[in-house]
Amino acid sequence: MKRLLFGLLLVAVLVLSACGAPAQPAAPSGGEAAAPAAPAAQEAAAPVAEAPAAEAAPSEFHPAWPYSPPPTGHFNTYVTNGMSLSIYQMLMEPSLFMYMWADGSWMPVAGESWEWADDTTLRVKLIQGAMWSDGHEFTSQDVIDSFSIARLMNRAVWQFINDVQAVDDYTVDFILNEPSTTVPRRVLREEAIHSSTVYGEYAQRLRDLIAAGKTNADDEWKNLLQEFNEFRPEDMVVLGPYKIDPASITESQMILNKVETSYWADTVQFDRMINYNGETPTVTPLVLSGDVDYATHGFPPATEREFINLGYRIIRAPVYSGPALYFNHTIHPFEMKEFRQALAYAVNRDEAAFISLGESAKRLLCMCGFSDNMTSLWLSEGVRSGLNPYDHDTAKAEEILTGLGFTRDSDGVWKDDTGARMEFELTVPAEFADWSAAAENTAEQLTVFGIKTAFRGVNFQQHPIDVNEGKFQLALRGWGAGNPHPSFSLETDLSLHNAAASGVGGGTGSIENPGMSFGLQVSTDSVGDVDLWALVKQSGSGGDAAAQVEVLDTIAQAYNELLPQIPIYERYGNNPVPSRFAAGWLPEGDPIYINSPYADSFVTIQILTGQLHGAGE
């Protein structure tokens, strides 16, 4: 395993140094956590100039992330509309570690180090001397309570672990069901640590239910979950260096003040953060005026050109995911794999990608449910080279439909094998400018091909609800995940909007929420009859990476043949950096930009390590 990791790391370093472009991520490694490389970079930065206290203005970082203001928005960050601010939650309620994609190392945050105590015990040592914003000390109890709430919420990590135990006040053991290479990611990075003074009561009540033999199928558990979903703390208690000022929250912005008692108070360089609310249409003028330091919104190519003309730097880090065309598999002929294959040929995904994001979107070649940047690490060469890229070919698409018994009406619109005209609606989150452009273009292409497709934008908060409830025909939703093991991406593809995976891996399906209704026990020409969900779980189990590659080969071939959804493109960031308020960004080509902008945000890391500082300092 170590030889494999070394070889992958060497390839990544060579690619990075040769072309200055994002290299492939290293495969995840286990063992002691590596110290972050940030201190050296920080030493290379310009020294902070001392200014008289009376003249110094507050040093500010200006991000942009959408949120719902109160009363819809609230401080229970476990549930819908909680104001966690996504990538910036790390600065308030941190995870134990951050992952460095270029070399597979782990940057300590709330955790100090970790190791395998045995094959099924992951032991984490916590930082000591850290205080929460309400004055209580950070200990193992906060970690245990946080994971207890994760269990109440049916988070995916509890499909892989069966207990969390305190060894002492600053050491925690996570007990696995069986050996797994994905559990470090799920434990060390995926779960934020929350304060016991806020959530401890609910955590203890959950543990009491478990001790009494109750499960999530029992009414007592369901009632506690419902009560917790309605729980609204008056304020957020944070461990990180920044805290939302409740009085500052408006429809347009909020202020996060530095917590002077935080463990990281002497490291971070900003006195406060001013977060601007809104999706792309709202945030764009703020970026153009330089009032936003950094934004991850999907800006269309024309807007990006304006940023470049203003001299803004554009960071194009790989996102390892993107939008896909989702089908409601209860609607004929969407349940037919041949029909989905025909659509994959019919849509020019290069065109849709360029119209959406210009240089920051690339159509997938593997079409296997996870990033092209990962396939050389996790698929055998024979399988990878044999996957169908579904190159644009309308003649091939027509041949497939004709073979299914489909015909064209007098106006050129296709009719299915029952004689029904093929007229559908494609929905998309209206505020996502990049996805909207891709959806509109895809609808136009399908219409020209003879599948009459209307395009409709839906509020970005309502759209996933509609899809989960099965209230759609075609929809643009996300595929993949910014995580270094493909099993996370496949979980997203097969469970996030799919009742067939209810109760596992993040599936939220039910009779009331069927999602795309794609069955996971499938028959294929390529690999025979398989249980896709069992394979996804198996792909992250055990400590043998070679065995996992064999399982992923099977999944990739099945996905490539069945196309549960059609990935339109893989997204790369086109994130503008005006640098009006913040300075000190690591240069182009630095390995930190192999990190996803979302999953292990290079911006959050640079704030936490003090690499970023005020532009006037």
Side-chain angles (χ1 to χ4, degrees), residues 454-506:
F455 158 80
R456 180 168 66 89
V458 178
N459 174 269
F460 75 100
Q461 293 169 317
Q462 182 63 38
H463 192 253
I465 297 174
D466 289 350
V467 173
N468 284 337
E469 292 181 350
K471 297 177 179 177
F472 76 103
Q473 295 177 318
L474 297 168
L476 218 66
R477 297 300 304 168
W479 66 265
N483 287 285
H485 194 286
S487 63
F488 292 89
S489 289
L490 295 165
E491 285 176 8
T492 297
D493 302 335
L494 300 176
S495 77
L496 185 60
H497 300 295
N498 194 24
S502 178
V504 291

